[in-house]
Amino acid sequence: NAGVTQTPKFQVLKTGQSMTLQCAQDMNHEYMSWYRQDPGMGLRLIHYSVGAGITDQGEVPNGYNVSRSTTEDFPLRLLSAAPSQTSVYFCASSEFGTGARQPQHFGDGTRLSIL
Amino acid sequence: ILNVEQSPQSLHVQEGDSTNFTCSFPSSNFYALHWYRWETAKSPEALFVMTLNGDEKKKGRISATLNTKEGYSYLYIKGSQPEDSATYLCAFKVRSSGAGSYQLTFGKGTKLSVIP
């Protein structure tokens, strides 16, 4: 099994551009989430999904959009990139049956720079 | 926004030393506490998920305890090895209702460096 796969691994954007970070998992996990990691900060939740067709906002959702049309995929869209969105982005998935009592499986991250 | 504190922020230990660090979280409405190990240039890897007051978990030389009444968890590493060098994250989940209630709040981590 590949686990959680994120693409691309690195990306440089110009301010105002849009792009989609891809996340796919092959473990049939109901729960998927996106985090951002900034220096001096813990992982902060952007958006999450508890199943196909169900998404919700996390702590820092502004400037990001998500959808969940399949169990496997959970793309994160930057609508109009801003320098403040320069960060490392992690996608994670887990079983959902008992809420947050299942460990999360993380992808390798996407390092995004906005110029 | 919930506050999850980890201490110390970083520490250096000699190979063979045992060490421990702390995760503090709000003691009310506790639901779950996660520990992750995060090596440089890799992704976080789950160590433990703890749910009951008094829980003790062990994985090799690494163990963890949980006190939900006072709001802390300890992670212990016995006989540290250079391969234990990593950032150790804890994450806390408060009890809430509804389908959209799965949100983990992460601490900033404790960075451990084991000197050979």
Side-chain angles (χ1 to χ4, degrees):
Chain A
N1 285 348
V4 179
T5 302
Q6 288 184 237
T7 56
K9 292 194 185 308
F10 304 93
Q11 184 72 47
V12 179
L13 291 178
K14 294 181 180 178
T15 298
Q17 287 185 313
S18 63
M19 81 159 291
T20 299
L21 307 186
Q22 301 291 345
C23 176
Q25 52 91 9
D26 61 0
M27 297 172 282
N28 203 32
H29 285 167
E30 302 95 332
Y31 179 83
M32 296 184 75
S33 57
W34 278 101
Y35 295 90
R36 59 179 289 173
Q37 169 69 47
D38 300 296
M41 309 285 287
L43 288 166
R44 291 185 294 167
L45 183 65
I46 304 171
H47 285 284
Y48 65 98
S49 168
V50 298
I54 306 170
T55 63
D56 206 347
Q57 296 181 351
E59 182 185 348
V60 288
N62 292 342
Y64 306 95
N65 204 357
V66 292
S67 60
R68 183 100 178 265
S69 56
T70 67
T71 300
E72 294 78 20
D73 300 299
F74 190 44
L76 178 73
R77 280 180 285 277
L78 278 70
L79 308 172
S80 177
S84 61
Q85 294 178 304
T86 293
S87 188
V88 182
Y89 292 85
F90 286 94
C91 179
S93 74
S94 72
E95 297 176 26
F96 182 66
T98 51
R101 290 179 171 177
Q102 298 295 329
Q104 295 204 53
H105 300 258
F106 285 85
D108 289 337
T110 294
R111 186 174 295 275
L112 183 62
S113 294
I114 316 292
L115 305 178
Chain B
I1 296 174
L2 300 171
N3 206 23
V4 179
E5 298 285 342
Q6 290 190 247
S7 62
Q9 284 187 331
S10 65
L11 73 162
H12 294 76
V13 301
Q14 291 291 136
E15 181 176 353
D17 286 350
S18 295
T19 187
N20 65 86
F21 20 94
T22 307
C23 174
S24 300
F25 51 86
S27 57
S28 58
N29 296 318
F30 173 86
Y31 190 73
L33 191 286
H34 294 218
W35 280 102
Y36 293 86
R37 174 186 142 104
W38 192 358
E39 292 181 70
T40 303
K42 295 187 177 180
S43 54
E45 178 185 338
L47 287 171
F48 308 115
V49 178
M50 309 179 80
T51 58
L52 297 175
N53 185 46
D55 252 357
E56 292 189 24
K57 301 267 186 177
K58 188 174 181 181
K59 188 175 184 178
R61 293 179 290 99
I62 304 176
S63 60
T65 60
L66 178 67
N67 184 324
T68 61
K69 297 189 185 308
E70 296 183 37
Y72 65 84
S73 175
Y74 292 140
L75 190 80
Y76 300 91
I77 301 179
K78 185 177 178 182
S80 301
Q81 299 297 308
E83 57 264 31
D84 296 328
S85 296
T87 296
Y88 292 84
L89 300 175
C90 70
F92 168 75
K93 170 69 173 75
V94 68
R95 180 178 297 279
S96 59
S97 60
S101 61
Y102 187 110
Q103 291 198 41
L104 285 177
T105 300
F106 279 83
K108 296 178 183 179
T110 293
K111 185 173 182 179
L112 173 67
S113 299
V114 181
I115 304 162

